[in-house]
Amino acid sequence: MKKYLINNAMIVPVDDERSPYFKGDLLVEGERIEKIVERPGVIEPDSDTEIIVGENLIVMPGLVNGHGHTAMTLFRSYADDMPLQEWLEEKIWPIEELLSADDIYWGTLLGIAEMIKGGTTTFTDMYFFMDQVAKAAVESGMKAVLSRGLVGLTDEDEKGLQETEEFINRWHGEERGRINVTIGPHAPYTCPPEYLKKVMALAEKTGRPLQIHLSETRKEVEDSLRQWGFSPPEQLYNMGFFDYPVIAAHCVHLMERDFYLLQEKNVGVIHNPGSNLKLGSGIASAAGMLKEGIRVGLGTDGAASNNNLDMIEEMRLAALISKGASEDPTLIDAAAAMKMATVNGAEILGLSETGSLREGYKADLVGLRCDRPHLIPMHDPVAHLVYAAQAADVELVIVDGQILLEKGELKTLDEEKIKAEAEKCAFRLREGIKKKR
Amino acid sequence: MKKYLINNAMIVPVDDERSPYFKGDLLVEGERIEKIVERPGVIEPDSDTEIIVGENLIVMPGLVNGHGHTAMTLFRSYADDMPLQEWLEEKIWPIEELLSADDIYWGTLLGIAEMIKGGTTTFTDMYFFMDQVAKAAVESGMKAVLSRGLVGLTDEDEKGLQETEEFINRWHGEERGRINVTIGPHAPYTCPPEYLKKVMALAEKTGRPLQIHLSETRKEVEDSLRQWGFSPPEQLYNMGFFDYPVIAAHCVHLMERDFYLLQEKNVGVIHNPGSNLKLGSGIASAAGMLKEGIRVGLGTDGAASNNNLDMIEEMRLAALISKGASEDPTLIDAAAAMKMATVNGAEILGLSETGSLREGYKADLVGLRCDRPHLIPMHDPVAHLVYAAQAADVELVIVDGQILLEKGELKTLDEEKIKAEAEKCAFRLREGIKKKR
């Protein structure tokens, strides 16, 4: 069994039972964290233990990206600064129609490469050609929470449910639990009640959680109120959807009653500050949700609306925009932002034994170089991580005890090949759009 | 005369007379941009021309940081997430009182090192021990716009005016115009009208622009209305302050009339989105100001309230929060954000021949690696720079034709020494605070 000792590092455990940070040692044995000592140089390595010098590293739990459409990296900076409907109808949907299984594979790997290099150890995906996504996740070593996106507007859409069930049977729990599958109804406005009932029946049958977009835009809420007389969360609550474990992305435009419903039913919310800002959806009240006792994690959403998959940036945005929009600098402090990006996300996604650095937990952890000018002096590593660090500071990434990034180099993936193939896919897609016109 | 040819780069000139981006060559001769060709491989290098391979670089004008207190890097992550008055009175002011000339020197160099590594070529500073700041700027090769901070609340404060005049005489125009001095009255609420009249007399005498904090917080505006019956911009307008060139930082809380006054008097506004968010000051209407025809640049403010000096992040924040707060994704598009961070800033600071890549202009430019996963594929380099890039992508920085950063390495400064000395200063300051208690 492989053993790694990270010695003399600045450890940020994100564990309420420990100090927020301390200099110490951390021992990984097999897929788990075997030992954490709050004093450096205490753990004696065996002869078969590989030493990772922690001297200039901040070591923290791996970041958990709670919402995304990974292969959309192929559309990064393809269309920006446009009104939402125009952006979707004239740019994103036409090019999405051209996506092949091959594109999804390379686009997902590109996103995974970017995420690993930015310290993300778990990613969440709702898209299509999901076998390709699962294959990419397996190859990379990343932890994944995958769902085939479901839309219930045509008769064709029955197929999605069947494919979801097959996808669960084929992939859920694979790689010793590293690959997880959930059920992905896109949104209340694309999945009518009759369809959602079938989705719920599948949740009942398989026991898998539901992922859904919820109250992302003001228009969505207004349409729902007009059509049903209820907000989207009320609508889901009323039909019993929240009686299943639910991962709700966005929740930008919540009405007062919605807060109570989400809290009552323990719905997990994934806040996507970058995407919500960029698409002009608005500023979710993450601080309000946390205050109400709602569990809130963080996500990047797809690269077409972000335009990167940088969870450190999302942490920072979550903290900054809550303060700025409410004119209250005490909202979402650094520790709260860190929790959203790690332990909260893991819990919401239904992943156990990850999200904190804790003895016996899976070794999902990240090391960031902290000796660069923008992280000097070292007054407070937690504030550094949230307010000053950048993705490129990440040098070390371990998932389930396997090293995915070492000294900034990808160990499980061929970065050059991925970049070249993804660039080729993007070129082909652009050419395809030209031909369509 | 030193010559550099950057060949086959993706050039983003930020110049309305050219395309937003193109593959091409750029020749630097002495301190100026000699030639830009919108086709790669056209410029033939002489035998004495050093070639810089542009293959994987996006080349853009150097970023212009329009507002800051550079040595406050020493307080990075020292105190965060606190109510503003408590943060100032219990944390920042007590430790600022302990700052020595030596601290200012090393703290400024630390900030300069960070800024160069993040693609900033011009920085603005309002602080004290300004000879140390000028010295650091000279040594680094960066372009600087410096002012001694002036407060007019005690008799002692006359000294500040005299020191400012001496500082102008000693430093303004040094290093062939690379060092610039302005006059720095801190804010209307710390500089009463009688004092500001003396400040204006000095502006009249020296011809130097004025830097001031303006309408940063809601409280500042409310106090001004209560005390004077006017908003801070009205107050300054009425006393003729805006008849001089003015660089106004923040302008978060403008009343409707203020927009017209700033536009009428051509006041340059420096928007500091990161700092305004983090301190809970609010969200300035940068889009509203631009629409009104007000010139708007960008700044980081000090690292105590940011907590980095990353102008790429400020560009991104400026674009994102305008869209998010107004629920309009078309506000501040990528090109507008780029202008704010470059050409607008240069113009507001009164610097000529910089801020764009243009033949005959000073060679103040930056090259960013664009072959990392988070910048693949290459659909649009301008959107990439604003929405996806990070400070660590910067590999090349040239100011007035001198290379300050090459392959990510500082060429004019000793990074290790600066980091060690700055860490020592920070340690001493923390110990000083403990003794005070």
Side-chain angles (χ1 to χ4, degrees), chain A residues 30-73:
Chain A
E31 65 185 14
R32 295 186 185 271
I33 296 170
E34 176 66 20
K35 210 172 175 64
I36 299 175
V37 177
E38 299 200 18
R39 249 178 333 135
V42 168
I43 300 179
E44 288 287 335
D46 303 349
S47 58
D48 58 341
T49 301
E50 192 176 311
I51 308 255
I52 297 172
V53 178
E55 182 66 33
N56 287 317
L57 291 183
I58 299 176
V59 175
M60 61 171 281
L63 294 158
V64 177
N65 188 348
H67 181 67
H69 316 283
T70 315
M72 291 185 88
T73 48

Side-chain angles (χ1 to χ4, degrees), chain A residues 112-413:
Chain A
I112 286 176
E114 177 187 355
M115 285 192 275
I116 293 173
K117 294 189 102 176
T120 297
T121 51
T122 297
F123 78 105
T124 307
D125 203 283
M126 182 197 286
Y127 219 46
F128 41 96
F129 293 116
M130 291 306 294
D131 285 322
Q132 302 300 312
V133 180
K135 191 167 160 250
V138 167
E139 290 169 14
S140 68
M142 259 189 112
K143 204 155 279 187
V145 180
L146 309 178
S147 65
R148 182 202 190 283
L150 297 171
V151 167
L153 299 173
T154 72
D155 287 346
E156 263 291 279
D157 298 331
E158 294 297 318
K159 213 179 62 183
L161 291 167
Q162 197 191 319
E163 285 181 17
T164 294
E165 190 170 353
E166 290 163 10
F167 186 56
I168 292 170
N169 292 334
R170 195 153 54 243
W171 288 104
H172 179 63
E174 285 299 302
E175 301 288 309
R176 302 174 54 84
R178 189 158 63 70
I179 308 298
N180 299 273
V181 178
T182 57
I183 302 168
H186 171 263
Y189 64 94
T190 52
C191 298
E194 283 313 304
Y195 188 73
L196 283 181
K197 279 181 193 150
K198 294 176 192 165
V199 169
M200 286 155 58
L202 186 60
E204 183 72 40
K205 182 176 174 190
T206 60
R208 300 305 308 143
L210 297 155
Q211 277 194 53
I212 194 162
H213 295 87
L214 193 64
S215 296
E216 180 174 359
T217 66
R218 190 175 294 278
K219 180 172 181 300
E220 174 188 343
V221 176
E222 286 167 357
D223 288 352
S224 177
L225 288 169
R226 197 162 32 234
Q227 189 177 0
W228 307 103
F230 296 109
S231 72
E234 285 175 322
Q235 174 79 348
L236 294 182
Y237 179 91
N238 292 344
M239 71 172 66
F241 191 87
F242 290 159
D243 298 333
Y244 301 91
V246 172
I247 304 154
H250 302 303
C251 297
V252 179
H253 295 281
L254 293 183
M255 307 185 63
E256 204 184 327
R257 290 163 303 188
D258 296 339
F259 284 89
Y260 306 124
L261 304 183
L262 296 175
Q263 192 275 332
E264 181 197 327
K265 291 298 186 176
N266 203 24
V267 172
V269 173
I270 301 296
H271 175 38
N272 300 272
S275 171
N276 295 157
L277 291 169
K278 180 146 186 287
L279 295 179
S281 304
I283 297 177
S285 179
M289 287 188 255
L290 288 172
K291 195 177 161 203
E292 214 52 63
I294 298 168
R295 302 177 303 161
V296 185
L298 288 177
T300 57
D301 208 349
S305 59
N306 190 306
N307 294 353
N308 58 36
L309 307 180
D310 178 348
M311 282 292 292
I312 292 176
E313 187 171 300
E314 299 301 327
M315 269 204 292
R316 180 144 51 218
L317 284 172
L320 290 183
I321 63 177
S322 278
K323 296 171 201 296
S326 301
E327 297 182 22
D328 181 350
T330 66
L331 296 181
I332 308 206
D333 61 19
M338 282 285 293
K339 279 188 186 175
M340 289 166 75
T342 55
V343 64
N344 291 14
E347 195 193 315
I348 289 166
L349 296 177
L351 303 174
S352 58
E353 307 186 316
T354 186
S356 292
L357 302 181
R358 191 179 283 196
E359 291 173 0
Y361 267 33
K362 297 289 180 71
D364 295 346
L365 60 84
V366 165
L368 296 96
R369 278 286 290 272
C370 56
D371 60 346
R372 291 173 178 153
H374 63 283
L375 298 176
I376 304 280
M378 177 58 84
H379 290 299
D380 180 340
V382 180
H384 267 14
L385 290 168
V386 174
Y387 297 122
Q390 43 181 311
D393 297 327
V394 174
E395 284 228 319
L396 173 73
V397 173
I398 296 180
V399 174
D400 283 357
Q402 183 186 14
I403 294 184
L404 308 190
L405 191 81
E406 193 172 17
K407 299 207 164 81
E409 301 277 319
L410 292 170
K411 305 308 282 184
T412 52
L413 299 175

